[in-house]
Amino acid sequence: MKRTTIILILTFMVNVMFAQTDNYKNAIENFQTNYNTEKYEDIFKSFSPEMKKALPFDKTKQFLTNLKIQVGKIEKTEFVGYQKGTYATYKTNFEKVVFAVNISLDSQNLINGLFIKSYEEPKNSESNVTNTLSSYPNEIAEIIFKKTKDFPNNTKLSIAVIQNGETNYYGIIKENDTIKPNENKNKIFEIGSITKVFTSTVFASLVEDEKLKLTDEINYYYSFPIKNNIKINFESLANHTSGLPRLPENLDLSNKTNPYKNYGKKEIEEYLKNLLKLENEPSKIYSYSNLGAGILGYTLGLSRKTSFKKLLQKRVFDKYKMTNSYTSSQNLDKRLIEGLDENGEVVSNWDYDVLFGGGGILSSAEDLVKFVNAQFNPKNKELSLTRKPTFDINEGMKIGLGWHILKTENGFNWVWHNGGTGGYSSSMVLDTENKNCVIILSNVSAFNPKMENIDKLCFELMKNIEK
């Protein structure tokens, strides 16, 4: 998935010096009390005018509600120190996870910065990691090394770089604090939320075959009325403008090692019939939703009177000869790279039922290259449809069906998606005009404090081939 928790609220950090430690103590204590008692309006009132403008109350409430559903109440906070002369960091124990909550205050002691991310224990000294990627081009090797040296031992990355339509593969493994080459282009990884691109591709193929229309409502395919007769159309699920929350409130996240496994037909029908509540007006606001993508896939199956996994196999895997892509981690034997948790320990794979369309695919770099090469074919109407902008998120980003569309400094349109599960992280960006692409699959946990390096590596490699 893109994430099982939202990491970033907003940063509005300013350069101030800290003398009044008690102000920060009061700020974090009030935040904890109001968060635990769901007094989100009181938290919003503690924001500076700039924060309120940048993060309106509906967005604040949405974030905090989702955060509490996913990680529970705050049990305790511990002051760590002041960082970069701009904010105070607190090691914060939630019921289900430990995060670093970073807060900055303005001269009126109002919160003008709030940043929440995975907590990483301070290290006494930097370990010496050796780079043995001499068989790779120097610039590529250096970029890969810099972005992977801080990952745990036994980390593996499978990288495909397509430049002007030509593909090179760069596999690595970290062993004994050494980054080494590793032949793994055929190895299987969970791809997480990159699955959403494939879910949207199935949708687009049905649209091109005139089986569905973009604006058809999903309500027609359910034998019961959706709560309050709320209308939801397929396109809004594919481009995250449905108004649905990130996750359903009846999803039990206490099973961190396999959170989606037991969310099935009974649970999704209960949600749609009795629990559904939109957080935004449909088609007006972009709000990333794993739930929405899961419902999209599930409903596509219902529309064809089959399962979504069978639709995916027929309309994508078989069509693009992706013979090394799967809908289950079972029986993959040594082809499957084991996922690692945030501490570098082997963790179980994630299994999906009705929400499979949000993040359930397993694949290899070589198979994803086949899918990307099909994207380069301008005559492929269904893939072109997925990349066609459907909503403007901001000045620099639009969204198609599944794909996020980024405008680069050079004026190119990059289409991108990433993914993260308990044991894996992935990122994929492509430029169809120039036939360039970078694909990264890894067994770096979405909860690893350095996991953002996967996206950074992906973009840096892409910039390197397009410079």
Side-chain angles (χ1 to χ4, degrees):
M1 317 298 288
K2 184 165 178 151
R3 303 282 185 268
T4 53
T5 56
I6 305 170
I7 303 301
L8 175 66
I9 299 179
L10 181 73
T11 53
F12 243 83
M13 305 301 185
V14 293
N15 291 317
V16 293
M17 296 304 292
F18 295 99
Q20 302 181 59
T21 305
D22 286 346
N23 293 332
Y24 284 85
K25 181 174 182 292
N26 291 335
I28 193 68
E29 287 178 352
N30 289 336
F31 178 82
Q32 176 177 349
T33 299
N34 292 327
Y35 170 83
N36 286 345
T37 56
E38 299 182 5
K39 293 181 179 178
Y40 303 138
E41 189 169 358
D42 287 346
I43 292 177
F44 182 74
K45 289 178 181 177
S46 70
F47 287 174
S48 69
E50 295 85 358
M51 274 284 284
K52 288 178 178 178
K53 182 178 179 180
L55 196 68
F57 176 65
D58 61 335
K59 286 292 186 182
T60 300
K61 183 178 179 182
Q62 175 188 340
F63 171 81
L64 295 172
T65 300
N66 287 344
L67 183 68
K68 194 172 183 185
I69 289 171
Q70 295 171 69
V71 301
K73 293 182 178 181
I74 295 174
E75 295 180 334
K76 68 174 183 177
T77 63
E78 178 185 344
F79 176 71
V80 175
Y82 295 120
Q83 309 296 322
K84 302 177 183 178
T86 59
Y87 58 92
T89 296
Y90 293 87
K91 178 181 179 182
T92 304
N93 292 73
F94 292 80
E95 290 177 301
K96 301 174 185 177
V97 71
V98 178
F99 278 155
V101 174
N102 306 288
I103 291 180
S104 70
L105 302 180
D106 66 10
S107 59
Q108 304 300 314
N109 294 319
L110 295 173
I111 295 174
N112 66 352
L114 186 58
F115 183 75
I116 300 176
K117 65 177 184 177
S118 299
Y119 180 74
E120 182 179 11
E121 291 287 353
K123 296 179 180 179
N124 293 327
S125 61
E126 255 187 58
S127 60
N128 293 318
V129 180
T130 304
N131 182 357
T132 62
L133 302 179
S134 57
S135 61
Y136 293 161
N138 289 340
E139 198 165 5
I140 296 287
E142 188 60 29
I143 292 170
I144 293 173
F145 176 76
K146 284 169 59 178
K147 291 294 185 290
T148 60
K149 62 184 178 63
D150 294 324
F151 290 138
N153 279 315
N154 299 316
T155 291
K156 296 179 182 179
L157 273 71
S158 185
I159 304 169
V161 176
I162 306 174
Q163 186 172 15
N164 299 321
E166 298 294 325
T167 305
N168 287 295
Y169 295 96
Y170 305 100
I172 66 123
I173 182 172
K174 183 177 181 182
E175 287 183 322
N176 300 319
D177 291 327
T178 302
I179 305 295
K180 306 175 182 179
N182 184 246
E183 178 67 37
N184 58 19
K185 65 181 180 180
N186 294 316
K187 295 296 186 180
I188 309 300
F189 297 75
E190 290 181 2
I191 71 170
S193 279
I194 293 178
T195 298
K196 293 177 174 66
V197 171
F198 289 87
T199 303
S200 291
T201 300
V202 173
F203 173 40
S205 74
L206 292 170
V207 171
E208 286 300 317
D209 287 350
E210 298 184 350
K211 306 293 186 184
L212 290 172
K213 295 179 181 178
L214 289 174
T215 54
D216 280 351
E217 293 172 351
I218 70 168
N219 306 59
Y220 175 80
Y221 298 101
Y222 290 86
S223 60
F224 53 85
I226 290 178
K227 185 180 178 184
N228 296 331
N229 199 32
I230 292 173
K231 305 296 183 185
I232 302 173
N233 71 50
F234 284 98
E235 183 182 61
S236 71
L237 295 173
N239 68 6
H240 302 285
T241 62
S242 66
L244 289 169
R246 190 178 183 91
L247 293 169
E249 65 178 81
N250 62 337
L251 174 65
D252 180 9
L253 288 172
S254 63
N255 181 11
K256 181 183 174 183
T257 60
N258 209 345
Y260 294 90
K261 181 178 182 179
N262 296 318
Y263 197 87
K265 182 175 183 289
K266 175 184 175 183
E267 287 74 20
I268 195 62
E269 290 188 355
E270 167 68 11
Y271 179 82
L272 291 172
K273 282 191 284 190
N274 301 316
L275 302 174
L276 186 148
K277 183 167 56 177
L278 299 186
E279 296 185 339
N280 303 296
E281 183 180 353
S283 302
K284 298 294 185 182
I285 295 176
Y286 165 88
S287 184
Y288 191 86
S289 176
N290 292 322
L291 169 63
I295 290 175
L296 172 61
Y298 180 63
T299 312
L300 291 174
L302 294 179
S303 77
R304 299 294 93 204
K305 296 181 171 56
T306 186
S307 72
F308 175 67
K309 291 180 180 180
K310 289 181 179 179
L311 269 184
L312 176 67
Q313 185 69 48
K314 178 181 179 180
R315 289 185 168 265
V316 181
F317 293 168
D318 292 348
K319 182 172 184 177
Y320 298 110
K321 297 179 172 54
M322 298 175 67
T323 56
N324 212 24
S325 296
Y326 302 92
T327 59
S328 170
S329 61
Q330 301 300 311
N331 303 316
L332 295 180
D333 305 318
K334 292 184 179 180
R335 291 175 295 165
L336 176 67
I337 297 296
E338 291 181 316
L340 304 179
D341 67 14
E342 60 267 40
N343 299 312
E345 301 296 327
V346 174
V347 69
S348 67
N349 291 94
W350 280 8
D351 302 298
Y352 292 80
D353 194 334
V354 297
L355 297 183
F356 178 92
I361 292 176
L362 301 97
S363 190
S364 67
E366 190 172 55
D367 248 24
L368 293 179
V369 165
K370 297 175 183 177
F371 184 63
V372 169
N373 282 331
Q375 302 280 340
F376 295 156
N377 178 4
K379 295 181 180 179
N380 191 311
K381 293 183 179 180
E382 68 184 49
L383 296 181
S384 294
L385 180 59
T386 64
R387 302 191 308 272
K388 182 179 179 180
T390 59
F391 188 83
D392 290 359
I393 299 173
N394 54 46
E395 290 184 3
M397 184 184 296
K398 300 179 181 180
I399 188 165
L401 302 177
W403 288 112
H404 294 82
I405 304 161
L406 313 176
K407 179 67 71 174
T408 72
E409 294 176 356
N410 296 326
F412 298 130
N413 285 324
W414 289 358
V415 291
W416 162 80
H417 213 294
N418 65 3
T421 63
Y424 304 82
S425 294
S426 58
S427 191
M428 180 161 66
V429 61
L430 55 145
D431 176 350
T432 57
E433 182 178 349
N434 295 296
K435 295 186 178 180
N436 295 329
C437 174
V438 175
I439 299 164
I440 300 178
L441 302 179
S442 78
N443 62 347
V444 175
S445 171
F447 299 107
N448 185 293
K450 296 285 187 178
M451 63 79 54
E452 68 271 10
N453 280 2
I454 298 299
D455 273 336
K456 290 179 180 179
L457 173 59
C458 189
F459 287 122
E460 194 162 336
L461 288 172
M462 189 66 164
K463 289 178 181 177
N464 181 67
I465 63 177
E466 292 214 330
K467 65 184 180 181

